[in-house]
């Protein structure tokens, strides 16, 4: 079955440093979504990418969808303590498919 | 509140008992998902519905798990003969087809 892996599993940065998480799917995705889950909370939608090679920005966050539509990345510039949480990618393999989540990357930011 | 709601928020049960959870999705969303999440892991897919039709059920799910969405609105997830390994957070999410998913707060199940 489809597998979605993320690396790293965990990253600890000082506030102001950059952070990147990478997402790799075993199968081609029709689109990819990113979610953030704060400690004790539930996943909250951040963004959806649909086109091959697509890049989207949300303030300090930059999302990329790979050319082959099998990988994606999330980059945070100048992290802040409010960025703490676990970031998940999730994707569909087709319109009739389920939403499969990645393994997640937990980000810890300290002053 | 027009978000996804789940009930109960917490459930403690003895091993061997049956439990049932309810999810009320956002009303215009035709898709409804159930996921299970344990500490430090990502949401693990259990099953999903398109309106009232259950389109897929995880092969990892034993026959003790069953879900329904009788009128394409709310959904229930039942676990029969609970085991300690069933202890987890059970998350429900709804979405308009392959659009963004909105999650409920989850039901935390503890089997003692």
């Amino acid at each position: 079955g489809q597998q979605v892996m993320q690396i790293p599993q965990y990253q600890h940065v000082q506030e102001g440093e950059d952070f990147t998480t990478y997402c790799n799917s075993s199968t081609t995705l029709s689109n990819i979504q990113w979610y953030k889950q704060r400690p004790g909370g539930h996943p909250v939608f951040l963004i959806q990418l649909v086109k091959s090679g697509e890049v989207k920005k949300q303030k300090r966050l930059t999302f990329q969808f790979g050319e082959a539509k099998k990988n994606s990345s999330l980059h945070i510039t100048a992290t802040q303590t409010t960025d703490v949480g676990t970031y998940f990618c999730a994707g569909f393999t087709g319109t009739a498919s389920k939403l499969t989540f990645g393994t997640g990357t937990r980000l810890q930011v300290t002053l | 509140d027009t978000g996804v709601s789940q009930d109960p928020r917490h459930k403690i049960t003895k091993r061997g008992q049956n439990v049932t959870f309810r999810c009320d999705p956002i009303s215009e969303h035709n898709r409804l998902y159930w996921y299970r999440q344990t500490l430090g892991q990502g949401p693990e897919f259990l099953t999903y519905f398109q309106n009232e039709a259950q389109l897929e059920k995880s092969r990892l799910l034993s026959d003790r798990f069953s879900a329904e969405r009788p009128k394409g609105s709310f959904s229930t997830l039942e676990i029969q003969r609970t085991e300690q390994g069933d202890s987890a957070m059970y998350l429900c999410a709804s979405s308009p087809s392959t659009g963004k998913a909105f999650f409920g707060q989850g039901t935390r199940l503890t089997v003692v």
Side-chain angles (χ1 to χ4, degrees), chain B residues 1 3 11 18-21 28 31 38 47 50 55 57 60-62 68-69 75 93-94 97 100-101 103 109-111:
Chain B
D1 188 345
K11 178 72 177 177
N18 299 344
V19 293
T20 300
F21 309 142
E28 60 267 28
R31 280 212 178 182
T38 52
T47 189
Q50 179 94 8
L55 295 189
K57 183 176 174 181
L60 299 174
L61 221 55
S62 78
E68 293 183 341
R69 194 182 183 196
S75 176
S94 71
S97 189
K100 67 181 184 181
F103 280 82
L109 173 67
T110 303
V111 182

Side-chain angles (χ1 to χ4, degrees), chain A residues 2-62:
Chain A
Q2 181 194 13
Q3 290 189 338
V4 183
M5 305 296 292
Q6 286 182 249
I7 54 170
Q9 211 172 2
Y10 169 75
Q11 187 148 14
H12 182 182
V13 300
Q14 300 262 320
E15 189 177 50
E17 292 181 335
D18 292 355
F19 160 77
T20 304
T21 172
Y22 300 91
C23 171
N24 291 286
S25 171
S26 59
T27 55
T28 302
L29 302 170
S30 58
N31 68 38
I32 193 141
Q33 301 176 357
W34 284 91
Y35 292 79
K36 177 182 178 181
Q37 186 173 23
R38 288 202 161 95
H42 56 276
V44 175
F45 176 86
L46 294 176
I47 206 160
Q48 176 169 283
L49 304 171
V50 179
K51 298 177 186 175
S52 169
E54 187 171 11
V55 178
K56 285 190 176 180
K57 292 190 176 185
Q58 283 181 352
K59 297 182 181 178
R60 295 177 295 102
L61 278 60
T62 302

Side-chain angles (χ1 to χ4, degrees), chain B residues 8-80:
Chain B
R9 293 288 306 278
H10 303 274
K11 178 72 177 177
I12 300 174
T13 191
K14 290 184 179 178
R15 192 175 46 173
Q17 297 293 305
N18 299 344
V19 293
T20 300
F21 309 142
R22 179 180 169 122
C23 172
D24 286 272
I26 293 172
S27 58
E28 60 267 28
H29 287 176
N30 53 16
R31 280 212 178 182
L32 187 149
Y33 296 90
W34 285 99
Y35 292 91
R36 177 171 61 190
Q37 188 175 32
T38 52
L39 196 62
Q41 303 297 313
E44 176 193 3
F45 171 78
L46 295 179
T47 189
Y48 86 103
F49 295 84
Q50 179 94 8
N51 300 311
E52 65 274 11
Q54 187 173 18
L55 295 189
E56 188 171 341
K57 183 176 174 181
S58 170
R59 280 170 282 181
L60 299 174
L61 221 55
S62 78
D63 291 341
R64 297 184 298 106
F65 287 72
S66 62
E68 293 183 341
R69 194 182 183 196
K71 296 181 181 178
S73 56
F74 74 92
S75 176
T76 57
L77 176 69
E78 182 184 17
I79 309 174
Q80 296 183 326

